[in-house]
Amino acid sequence: MKIVNPYIEVEKIDGIDIMKKIEKACRTCYRSEGSITEDSYKKLLKNCITRGHESVLEHEKITVRMYADIGVYKDLTRHRIASFSIESTRYCNYGKDKFDNEIKFIKPCNIEKGTKLYEKWEKACQDIEKNYLQMAELGATPDQMRMILPHSTASEIVMTANIREWKHILSLRTTNHVHPSVRQIMIPLLIYFQKEMPEIFESVEYDKEFPESQYAELKIEK
């Protein structure tokens, strides 16, 4: 058994380039391509968003890879206009060398290490792994063994959505009404998008009371 931290990987993006491509598509509506300047996208996109004309944001997309607990992707897959490829507990046998013969569990951000509560959680995970591996020895298949896997089980998720949908998802999944395991993934992603594409994402509010020490590591793919 191994307890690991979540992280998120984002493809290296050029936010200005993305916004300029959206501007070019948008100006087709008015045939105002001749009005494009070095920074004309700023005013245009802000005007579009203010008027609710956000369909133009659908022309560009971003792919994100996450390493999080099963509970996170159960929440995120509720969003319809997105594509998901998720580590399958039906086919992945964690008792094999490929997975180091162990189950990896995401460290909970809402249970403090060193407390009795944390000890109970850790013991439960240890028992689950022990029983999982024993089931494997008895010839159980992965889709039988997955029946005992908890929400804390670590899983890789690849998620692709267009810019409009990311804006919608992040506006919903970064508030204090959302499970902390989701917030610790989504808030640093939103902050990155706000930095790269402020004209689009700066208006999205998030739970600023959520401790930065709990943010998942954000990695930029080269």
Side-chain angles (χ1 to χ4, degrees):
M1 168 181 152
K2 188 174 184 180
I3 299 174
V4 296
N5 291 314
Y7 63 82
I8 184 166
E9 289 183 349
V10 188
E11 60 186 3
K12 185 175 177 58
I13 63 173
D14 184 332
I16 293 177
D17 183 62
I18 287 174
M19 291 189 288
K20 285 185 174 182
K21 287 178 179 177
I22 292 173
E23 177 194 18
K24 186 176 180 180
C26 179
R27 287 192 180 279
T28 302
C29 302
Y30 317 103
R31 298 316 310 267
S32 61
E33 295 90 340
S35 298
I36 293 176
T37 65
E38 187 61 28
D39 62 356
S40 56
Y41 68 88
K42 295 180 179 180
K43 182 177 180 180
L44 181 76
L45 291 180
K46 284 187 175 181
N47 286 341
C48 284
I49 292 171
T50 299
R51 297 198 308 268
H53 183 34
E54 295 192 357
S55 62
V56 295
L57 303 181
E58 297 172 12
H59 288 291
E60 293 292 315
K61 63 180 178 64
I62 293 176
T63 296
V64 168
R65 179 180 293 270
M66 306 172 214
Y67 191 58
D69 66 54
I70 286 176
V72 169
Y73 78 65
K74 287 181 69 176
D75 281 357
L76 293 181
T77 51
R78 295 178 185 177
H79 296 282
R80 303 295 189 265
I81 311 174
S83 298
F84 299 89
S85 294
I86 300 172
E87 182 176 319
S88 174
T89 52
R90 284 196 63 202
Y91 298 102
C92 294
N93 185 338
Y94 300 114
K96 298 290 188 181
D97 291 344
K98 180 179 180 180
F99 298 98
D100 302 321
N101 306 292
E102 65 182 359
I103 301 176
K104 296 177 176 64
F105 299 99
I106 295 293
K107 181 182 177 182
C109 63
N110 58 346
I111 304 177
E112 186 177 352
K113 188 175 181 179
T115 64
K116 290 289 185 182
L117 196 60
Y118 187 92
E119 291 175 6
K120 286 291 185 182
W121 170 82
E122 189 172 23
K123 179 62 165 57
C125 291
Q126 290 170 345
D127 290 343
I128 286 170
E129 182 187 59
K130 178 181 176 181
N131 289 314
Y132 183 97
L133 297 177
Q134 287 178 346
M135 289 176 69
E137 291 174 358
L138 292 171
T141 60
D143 66 353
Q144 291 174 320
M145 295 185 293
R146 84 166 185 171
M147 303 305 291
I148 67 170
L149 292 175
H151 277 67
S152 291
T153 306
S155 179
E156 285 210 23
I157 309 115
V158 176
M159 179 178 177
T160 302
N162 65 55
I163 303 298
R164 183 186 192 182
E165 185 63 10
W166 274 123
K167 185 171 182 284
H168 172 66
I169 291 169
L170 292 168
S171 69
L172 295 179
R173 299 296 175 182
T174 58
T175 71
N176 60 6
H177 300 294
V178 178
H179 193 280
S181 292
V182 178
R183 273 180 280 166
Q184 76 173 148
I185 289 284
M186 292 287 103
I187 291 177
L189 179 62
L190 170 60
I191 292 172
Y192 174 64
F193 285 175
Q194 287 179 330
K195 178 182 176 183
E196 291 293 324
M197 295 170 282
E199 285 72 25
I200 296 174
F201 288 95
E202 67 181 359
S203 63
V204 179
E205 297 183 354
Y206 64 93
D207 178 16
K208 292 184 172 61
E209 298 300 317
F210 190 83
E212 291 186 27
S213 60
Q214 296 285 4
Y215 287 2
E217 180 185 2
L218 189 143
K219 305 177 181 180
I220 308 301
E221 296 179 357
K222 302 299 183 182

